[in-house]
Amino acid sequence: MPSYTAPAKDMQFVLHDLLEISTQDVPGYSDMDAEFTGAIIDTLGQLATEVIHPLNMVGDRQGCTLENGVVRTPDGFKDAFDQLRDGGWTALDAPEEFGGQGLPYLSYTIAGEILSASNMAFNMYYGLTHGAASAILAHGTEAQKAKWLPKMHSCEWTGTMNLTEPHAGTDLGMMRTKAVPQTDGTYKITGQKIFISAGDHDMADNIVHLVLAKIEGAPEGIKGVSLFIVPKILVDDEGNLGARNGVSVGKIEEKMGIHGNSTCVMNYDGATGYLLGQEHKGMRAMFTMMNEARLGVGLQGYAQSEIAYQNALAYALDRLQGRDVTGVKNPDGPADPLIVHPDIRRNLMDQKSFVEGARAFTFWGATMIDRAHRLEDKDADGLISLLTPVIKGFLTDKGFEYATAAQQVYGGHGYIEEWGMSQFARDARIAMIYEGANGVQALDLVGRKLAQDGGKHVMAFFEMVKTFCKENDGDEMKGFVAPLKAASKDLQAAGMYFMQNGMKNPNAALAGSYDFMHMMGHVCLGLMWARMAKAAMEGLKKDGADRDFLEAKIATGRYYMARQLPATAMHLGRIQTGPETIMGLEATAF
Amino acid sequence: MPSYTAPAKDMQFVLHDLLEISTQDVPGYSDMDAEFTGAIIDTLGQLATEVIHPLNMVGDRQGCTLENGVVRTPDGFKDAFDQLRDGGWTALDAPEEFGGQGLPYLSYTIAGEILSASNMAFNMYYGLTHGAASAILAHGTEAQKAKWLPKMHSCEWTGTMNLTEPHAGTDLGMMRTKAVPQTDGTYKITGQKIFISAGDHDMADNIVHLVLAKIEGAPEGIKGVSLFIVPKILVDDEGNLGARNGVSVGKIEEKMGIHGNSTCVMNYDGATGYLLGQEHKGMRAMFTMMNEARLGVGLQGYAQSEIAYQNALAYALDRLQGRDVTGVKNPDGPADPLIVHPDIRRNLMDQKSFVEGARAFTFWGATMIDRAHRLEDKDADGLISLLTPVIKGFLTDKGFEYATAAQQVYGGHGYIEEWGMSQFARDARIAMIYEGANGVQALDLVGRKLAQDGGKHVMAFFEMVKTFCKENDGDEMKGFVAPLKAASKDLQAAGMYFMQNGMKNPNAALAGSYDFMHMMGHVCLGLMWARMAKAAMEGLKKDGADRDFLEAKIATGRYYMARQLPATAMHLGRIQTGPETIMGLEATAF
């Protein structure tokens, strides 16, 4: 049976040694000192270890069932959800006026890693609610906020996002769900939505669906799409639950993983809906949710890699198989533990250096969201907008890759479901697909974000890397700064190639978009590792330093810089071969 | 629902344009002209399309069940197995004196791709039998061969390989299964084996288990292991089935994939066994099976990628989503097909260029096996021994990677089981693990095979690449020869690094073994692509050439050379950073 322990020491290092959050000028950060964040991590970590993680395999085995229109979640989910709700964990970063604790978004990210790593399918019920509540907070009227948010923040009511239809996934302009205006200002919503995570379940009194639909007579395509609040059960102005709305579950999808989450086909049959935000501006409102959701999905990617790594490491330390070629390490046993073998170590170091780098990158991203929201910092807003597709695309691709690598450490046992390693990989797989498949993330990055605001944000990013390298060009940091410089230079060369060739032929840029996304991911993790190494080196100079931890941190960073970062040269080489080898073949010649 | 069509045109190109098999001097090859191989591919292909592939998803959904000690295979498996057997497909390459058709091993490989791609779990019942029969053929007495082989070649009786025990996987020396000699020359076998593919089922009259065990008083470790034939049902000297042997199924494992194959825990309780080969030389006998099995597993890797690619391509041509940024391609439809998008094409070209290269590599490998067996060609034997871990490790890693990439083309539908794309990835995953996890393949390659016979075979490999490059250094082949030269140079530099550093510190070589295996895989596929391009260019000069096919072949090769082969530089860079970043961390500091 696998297990999970919140990586408290590493989280605290990122928060306080790397990001130094409690001295940042973001409102609310001064309260988040090491004691406070330590308490969050320890308390929630205990709930995750003892209650939520033990349900991870239960959820995978049982899945959700639909009987007589009612969705049942796996045994134990409801009780655990009650504990999550009663502990106040679902309202950490919600505004106090709507029942929340008013903490920064970063608190949600810290909790999110713990919850997602320990049980991804379970945590999605809350995660979707958080996203839907954010959209209502950003685009709702005061009356809407007052009506829906407090119950959503407490997760007494949960939320969903309804975008996809059978024939309309990425291309939402083709959607057919209709909204017919009523004389009372409401709309009747009719249509079918698919792939609705947490679409229905038995853990909340109501479900607040956010549904994209086209108002009769709306413009064609994506510009005619509006967003609606469509509750499962109608709510009167005093907040009392009333009649069932015209919303039903068509079926629960059978998926590769995240079986504990009910992925539903949702049917809307003249259901009452309330316009959220402006008519025909539904995509704008939905993007509020989607950007946040994309960060959350990037987090899911590395969180599955984190728990897979924890278990792979435990197995590598415990399982006796073969002998160290340089000399027996466990003379009293029949064999040495797996971890003596160089290729097992290579595999573990790949995982460890990715997960720790990804955590730093994601937490850093969360601080940018707080800066953008709490300080109205436009630069931070632009930078996180640029980096969102990288966090989503790169961290989920690598998260899956390393969850799979962790499975490999177990040999044949990794393929047997009772050991739990298969589930981490199967669950992680969805993160590469939903909230915009990773190819779409690459398109967003290269086709939109690079040029946003005249390329200002990507230039600021390069400037940031350059400044860091200049300020840290001493001998001590050489093993970090030199590779970071080289990788950043590769990335700039790729951007230059796109500028020079993409205007004439957009395919010259788009054919290289996936490679670019991965290059940028490596540069971001390289920057994180260089900064973490610097923080660790400074930490080592202090009295009472945790030398073992800090030295391991530096060693792990050296691994990433030496063995992962040079991938940028390969990606650049691919990009510079141009689009011809990709676009040349006629579709019929494949 | 997914579908499968045997890639007849591409297989024929590899067999006759690339390998020119019917003019090779291998006994039996002269019969294998294009008409003959075409008939194999078409006839078996039809059975695969119409009977075997439609059971692929059935097998995944139903799995195998154990009731009252009896294993039931999924609905339809038994009938399909009868058709496979009755068609003579299970005895293509078996010797005529034991009921086979006496065709070269290559015929087994051609059939193996078709069977494995269309239904991997189903084909394993036959594949294991083939491996077990090979071991009996190589190491059995004449009486043993006469007794067991004819029924195994017809698959009236199937076979298994029993190596792993709960505490002994890669490290077989720790096994505990015991063999006690009896006065009649037989042995009583007692112990438990796990992960036994096709361990029991309802499709054959008997099952012939090959079991590794230690004879009482044998030397410690791997040198005390012997191999035994242990039938499920005892067989008298006239070949009549008698009493049940002391063999039973403990349970069927629940796995990530290949659910249609019964992976059993096998219990041997004083079961009667017959020594196969010499006492304490069981590993040698087992390796006959394992080398062949490893080639078969490499084939499974790319075969799953092949069927996944076929279905991803069909979806990319059919699914309308978004518009070509350079101009609408499907003005009469609501959107353009997915294949207009550069990143979808990048993904499809990755898959296509891998699968076609892997097919060429594997078929070429099969010709080396035929040369080794039928001509006693020591060079071919040495070369295939060197390349076996590359075929197994590289083709299964990439096969899984691209089966996963094919899933991505489907977006959300790729994660839903009813579309079938998840199964290809889940089934492909095991190929990276069994018959020696891929890390063990890398160890075998770098730790054993490079230095085998004084490094003669790896030098011959480099010489072959060099000669090809020298003979084809004209302008026409420049786009192929230059990258191949560069990649081969990288590979040689890595080998040189190992030689210079590995003697002092074996970890310097072993820490780079995985990267080396991948480099070598790329060089092999690069060589295959260069040769295929040359064959295609020559083909284009002939009257009546299939220009569309041959031009697509060259274009696909250019893609591989431009975008995949340069990965060797990254792997070399990693190797040359040395083992310190991998071996430096104390086990307790992970």
Side-chain angles (χ1 to χ4, degrees):
Chain A
M1 284 285 288
S3 65
Y4 173 74
T5 308
K9 202 182 268 192
D10 202 62
M11 286 182 155
Q12 292 283 61
F13 174 81
V14 170
L15 292 168
H16 302 291
D17 297 77
L18 175 69
L19 300 173
E20 302 181 299
I21 56 164
S22 47
T23 61
Q24 281 196 31
D25 57 347
V26 180
Y29 273 27
S30 61
D31 297 334
M32 290 184 62
D33 58 15
E35 194 181 347
F36 185 81
T37 57
I40 289 182
I41 296 165
D42 289 347
T43 315
L44 184 59
Q46 191 181 354
L47 184 69
T49 299
E50 296 175 2
V51 176
I52 296 172
H53 178 64
L55 297 174
N56 193 44
M57 200 182 280
V58 173
D60 188 55
R61 291 291 178 99
Q62 291 187 6
C64 295
T65 52
L66 176 64
E67 278 171 40
N68 302 321
V70 178
V71 174
R72 283 189 197 291
T73 51
D75 292 346
F77 268 43
K78 187 169 185 339
D79 180 56
F81 203 65
D82 286 342
Q83 291 190 50
L84 188 72
R85 177 194 286 138
D86 295 347
W89 295 110
T90 64
L92 289 177
D93 64 325
E96 286 170 289
E97 61 178 311
F98 301 115
Q101 298 175 45
L103 289 170
Y105 178 81
L106 179 60
S107 67
Y108 172 68
T109 305
I110 299 166
E113 185 195 311
I114 294 170
L115 293 169
S116 190
S118 58
N119 193 331
M120 178 168 158
F122 173 82
N123 187 47
M124 289 170 65
Y125 293 99
Y126 157 46
L128 270 296
T129 309
H130 190 279
S134 296
I136 294 173
L137 187 65
H139 301 281
T141 62
E142 287 310 310
Q144 284 175 331
K145 290 190 236 181
K147 182 170 184 174
W148 303 108
L149 290 181
K151 296 276 190 183
M152 292 176 77
H153 290 147
S154 67
C155 273
E156 286 166 275
W157 301 348
T158 64
T160 73
M161 292 168 64
N162 290 242
L163 290 78
T164 307
E165 299 182 9
H167 57 284
T170 300
D171 193 349
L172 287 169
M174 295 199 288
M175 75 171 53
R176 293 179 192 147
T177 298
K178 283 215 159 53
V180 181
Q182 306 295 302
T183 51
D184 64 355
T186 67
Y187 293 78
K188 291 287 181 205
I189 311 292
T190 301
Q192 187 177 67
K193 296 287 181 177
I194 63 171
F195 304 156
I196 309 308
S197 298
D200 197 25
H201 57 86
D202 53 4
M203 305 194 297
D205 297 331
N206 200 3
I207 299 179
V208 182
H209 301 289
L210 296 197
V211 183
L212 283 180
K214 285 185 176 174
I215 298 170
E216 274 191 329
E220 282 289 298
I222 202 73
K223 288 176 182 164
V225 167
S226 305
L227 186 60
F228 298 89
I229 299 172
V230 187
K232 175 180 173 181
I233 298 169
L234 294 168
V235 179
D236 70 17
D237 290 342
E238 281 72 48
N240 300 307
L241 295 178
R244 271 297 293 258
N245 201 356
V247 183
S248 61
V249 179
K251 71 166 176 171
I252 300 181
E253 302 283 4
E254 283 186 43
K255 308 182 300 291
M256 184 179 186
I258 52 166
H259 297 158
N261 199 277
S262 56
T263 304
C264 298
V265 173
M266 298 301 299
N267 293 322
Y268 295 89
D269 301 302
T272 298
Y274 311 96
L275 183 68
L276 179 61
Q278 292 174 263
E279 273 189 6
H280 315 323
K281 306 278 186 190
M283 288 310 292
R284 190 192 294 172
M286 195 50 108
F287 262 104
T288 307
M289 286 167 70
M290 277 167 57
N291 273 330
E292 187 195 288
R294 285 174 178 179
L295 280 165
V297 172
L299 180 150
Q300 287 180 324
Y302 86 77
Q304 285 309 297
S305 180
E306 161 69 29
I307 186 167
Y309 168 69
Q310 286 190 17
N311 287 282
L313 174 61
Y315 193 77
L317 291 166
D318 181 64
R319 172 87 170 172
L320 305 180
Q321 207 78 180
R323 290 291 187 188
D324 188 331
V325 290
T326 63
V328 169
K329 287 289 185 299
N330 177 33
D332 299 333
D336 290 339
L338 285 179
I339 201 165
V340 303
H341 302 299
D343 190 63
I344 294 284
R345 285 178 155 262
R346 188 254 334 143
N347 185 347
L348 291 171
M349 289 300 288
D350 278 349
Q351 296 173 50
K352 180 177 167 64
S353 64
F354 164 69
V355 169
E356 294 178 13
R359 174 176 299 122
F361 185 26
T362 304
F363 283 18
W364 179 48
T367 67
M368 282 184 254
I369 290 182
D370 279 326
R371 300 193 75 81
H373 290 175
R374 296 184 165 229
L375 291 172
E376 296 193 16
D377 179 337
K378 296 273 178 222
D379 294 338
D381 194 44
L383 189 55
I384 190 61
S385 173
L386 171 73
L387 295 178
T388 294
V390 182
I391 292 174
K392 198 283 184 181
F394 183 71
L395 298 191
T396 61
D397 274 0
K398 291 289 175 187
F400 173 72
E401 180 181 337
Y402 294 128
T404 304
Q407 198 184 3
Q408 194 73 8
V409 174
Y410 278 66
H413 298 95
Y415 200 66
I416 308 296
E417 292 294 352
E418 78 181 90
W419 290 80
M421 300 304 286
S422 159
Q423 187 189 350
F424 301 141
R426 288 184 292 100
D427 286 358
R429 181 67 184 87
I430 188 57
M432 296 158 69
I433 298 175
Y434 62 17
E435 302 308 333
N438 286 355
V440 175
Q441 302 301 324
L443 179 65
D444 179 46
L445 176 63
V446 169
R448 276 183 68 225
K449 298 296 176 63
L450 287 186
Q452 207 167 37
D453 298 326
K456 183 178 154 191
H457 308 299
V458 72
M459 287 189 280
F461 175 78
F462 284 127
E463 195 58 36
M464 179 195 306
V465 175
K466 197 173 152 190
T467 304
F468 178 86
C469 290
K470 198 176 280 179
E471 288 173 2
N472 294 282
D473 69 347
D475 275 355
E476 198 179 39
M477 281 290 288
K478 202 173 161 190
F480 291 89
V481 167
L484 177 59
K485 253 190 201 166
S488 178
K489 203 176 143 199
D490 287 342
L491 186 66
Q492 287 182 68
M496 192 61 73
Y497 178 87
F498 291 162
M499 275 174 47
Q500 288 168 344
N501 298 277
M503 295 289 272
K504 283 185 301 231
N505 177 9
N507 289 336
L510 299 183
S513 59
Y514 214 85
D515 283 291
F516 190 86
M517 179 174 77
H518 272 255
M519 287 181 91
M520 192 145 179
H522 279 300
V523 172
C524 289
L525 260 61
L527 176 64
M528 290 300 107
W529 271 116
R531 286 183 173 171
M532 286 196 282
K534 187 183 174 188
M537 288 170 189
E538 283 170 8
L540 280 169
K541 290 168 194 157
K542 292 177 191 157
D543 286 343
D546 185 345
R547 301 199 68 85
D548 288 348
F549 174 81
L550 296 173
E551 282 165 3
K553 181 61 71 181
I554 295 167
T556 307
R558 286 196 196 285
Y559 180 88
Y560 195 88
M561 303 313 273
R563 301 196 39 114
Q564 298 297 352
L565 210 50
T568 55
M570 178 186 71
H571 291 297
L572 174 62
R574 284 188 189 158
I575 289 168
Q576 289 176 335
T577 62
E580 290 75 21
T581 59
I582 293 177
M583 305 310 295
L585 219 52
E586 287 294 322
T588 51
F590 269 78
Chain B
M1 283 283 289
S3 65
Y4 173 75
T5 308
K9 203 183 268 191
D10 202 62
M11 286 181 155
Q12 290 283 63
F13 174 82
V14 171
L15 292 169
H16 302 291
D17 296 79
L18 175 70
L19 301 173
E20 301 180 301
I21 55 165
S22 47
T23 61
Q24 281 196 30
D25 58 346
V26 181
Y29 272 26
S30 61
D31 297 334
M32 290 184 63
D33 58 15
E35 194 180 348
F36 185 82
T37 57
I40 290 182
I41 296 164
D42 289 346
T43 316
L44 184 59
Q46 192 181 354
L47 185 69
T49 300
E50 295 173 3
V51 177
I52 297 171
H53 178 63
L55 297 173
N56 193 43
M57 201 182 279
V58 174
D60 188 55
R61 290 292 177 97
Q62 290 187 7
C64 296
T65 53
L66 176 64
E67 278 171 38
N68 302 320
V70 177
V71 173
R72 283 190 196 289
T73 51
D75 291 346
F77 268 43
K78 188 169 183 336
D79 180 56
F81 203 65
D82 286 342
Q83 291 189 51
L84 188 72
R85 178 194 286 140
D86 295 347
W89 296 111
T90 64
L92 290 177
D93 65 323
E96 286 169 288
E97 62 178 311
F98 300 117
Q101 297 174 44
L103 290 170
Y105 178 81
L106 179 61
S107 67
Y108 171 68
T109 305
I110 299 166
E113 186 195 310
I114 294 170
L115 292 169
S116 191
S118 58
N119 194 331
M120 177 168 160
F122 173 82
N123 187 48
M124 288 169 66
Y125 293 99
Y126 158 46
L128 270 296
T129 308
H130 189 279
S134 297
I136 294 174
L137 187 65
H139 301 281
T141 63
E142 288 309 310
Q144 285 175 330
K145 290 190 236 181
K147 182 170 183 175
W148 303 108
L149 289 182
K151 296 276 191 184
M152 292 177 77
H153 290 148
S154 67
C155 273
E156 285 166 277
W157 301 348
T158 63
T160 72
M161 293 168 62
N162 290 241
L163 290 78
T164 307
E165 299 181 10
H167 57 283
T170 299
D171 193 349
L172 287 168
M174 295 200 290
M175 75 171 53
R176 293 178 192 147
T177 297
K178 282 216 156 57
V180 182
Q182 307 296 303
T183 51
D184 63 356
T186 66
Y187 293 78
K188 291 286 180 206
I189 312 292
T190 301
Q192 187 177 67
K193 295 287 179 176
I194 63 170
F195 304 155
I196 309 308
S197 298
D200 197 23
H201 58 86
D202 53 6
M203 305 194 297
D205 297 333
N206 200 3
I207 298 178
V208 182
H209 302 289
L210 296 197
V211 182
L212 285 179
K214 287 184 174 173
I215 298 170
E216 276 191 328
E220 283 289 298
I222 201 71
K223 289 177 181 163
V225 167
S226 305
L227 185 61
F228 298 88
I229 298 171
V230 186
K232 174 180 172 180
I233 297 170
L234 295 168
V235 179
D236 70 19
D237 290 342
E238 282 71 48
N240 300 306
L241 295 178
R244 273 295 295 255
N245 201 356
V247 182
S248 60
V249 179
K251 70 166 176 172
I252 300 181
E253 302 283 4
E254 283 185 44
K255 311 182 297 291
M256 184 178 184
I258 52 166
H259 297 157
N261 199 277
S262 55
T263 305
C264 298
V265 173
M266 298 301 300
N267 294 321
Y268 296 89
D269 300 302
T272 298
Y274 311 97
L275 184 67
L276 179 61
Q278 292 173 264
E279 273 188 6
H280 315 323
K281 306 280 186 188
M283 289 309 293
R284 191 191 295 173
M286 196 50 109
F287 263 105
T288 308
M289 287 168 70
M290 277 167 57
N291 272 331
E292 186 195 290
R294 285 174 178 180
L295 280 166
V297 173
L299 181 149
Q300 288 180 324
Y302 85 77
Q304 285 308 298
S305 180
E306 161 70 28
I307 187 168
Y309 168 69
Q310 287 189 16
N311 285 282
L313 174 59
Y315 194 76
L317 291 166
D318 181 63
R319 172 86 169 172
L320 305 180
Q321 208 81 179
R323 291 291 187 187
D324 186 332
V325 289
T326 63
V328 169
K329 287 288 186 299
N330 177 33
D332 298 334
D336 290 339
L338 285 179
I339 201 166
V340 304
H341 302 299
D343 190 63
I344 293 285
R345 284 179 154 263
R346 188 258 329 145
N347 185 346
L348 291 171
M349 290 299 289
D350 278 350
Q351 296 172 50
K352 180 175 166 66
S353 64
F354 164 69
V355 169
E356 294 178 14
R359 174 176 299 122
F361 185 26
T362 305
F363 283 18
W364 179 49
T367 67
M368 282 183 254
I369 290 182
D370 279 326
R371 300 192 75 82
H373 290 175
R374 297 186 164 226
L375 291 172
E376 296 193 17
D377 179 337
K378 296 271 177 224
D379 293 337
D381 195 45
L383 189 55
I384 191 60
S385 173
L386 171 73
L387 296 178
T388 293
V390 182
I391 291 174
K392 199 282 185 183
F394 183 70
L395 299 191
T396 60
D397 274 1
K398 291 290 175 186
F400 173 71
E401 180 181 337
Y402 294 128
T404 303
Q407 199 184 1
Q408 194 74 9
V409 174
Y410 278 65
H413 299 95
Y415 200 66
I416 307 295
E417 292 293 353
E418 77 181 269
W419 290 80
M421 301 303 288
S422 158
Q423 188 190 349
F424 302 140
R426 287 186 291 101
D427 286 358
R429 182 67 185 87
I430 188 58
M432 297 158 69
I433 298 174
Y434 62 16
E435 302 308 333
N438 286 355
V440 176
Q441 303 301 323
L443 179 65
D444 179 46
L445 176 63
V446 169
R448 275 184 67 226
K449 299 293 175 65
L450 286 186
Q452 205 167 37
D453 297 327
K456 184 178 154 191
H457 307 300
V458 72
M459 286 187 282
F461 175 78
F462 284 127
E463 195 57 37
M464 179 194 308
V465 175
K466 196 173 151 187
T467 304
F468 178 87
C469 291
K470 198 175 280 178
E471 287 174 359
N472 295 282
D473 68 348
D475 274 355
E476 199 178 37
M477 283 288 289
K478 202 173 161 189
F480 292 88
V481 167
L484 177 59
K485 252 190 202 165
S488 179
K489 203 176 143 196
D490 287 342
L491 186 67
Q492 288 182 69
M496 192 61 72
Y497 177 87
F498 291 162
M499 275 175 45
Q500 288 167 345
N501 297 278
M503 294 291 272
K504 284 184 302 235
N505 177 9
N507 289 337
L510 299 184
S513 59
Y514 215 86
D515 283 291
F516 189 86
M517 180 175 76
H518 272 254
M519 287 180 89
M520 193 148 179
H522 280 300
V523 172
C524 290
L525 260 60
L527 176 63
M528 290 299 108
W529 272 115
R531 286 184 172 171
M532 285 196 282
K534 186 182 174 189
M537 287 170 190
E538 284 171 7
L540 280 170
K541 291 168 193 157
K542 291 177 191 158
D543 287 341
D546 185 346
R547 300 198 69 84
D548 288 349
F549 175 82
L550 296 173
E551 282 166 3
K553 180 62 70 181
I554 296 167
T556 308
R558 287 196 197 285
Y559 181 88
Y560 194 88
M561 303 314 275
R563 302 197 36 117
Q564 297 298 352
L565 209 51
T568 56
M570 178 185 71
H571 291 297
L572 174 61
R574 284 186 188 159
I575 289 168
Q576 290 176 333
T577 62
E580 290 74 21
T581 58
I582 293 177
M583 305 309 297
L585 220 53
E586 287 295 322
T588 51
F590 270 78

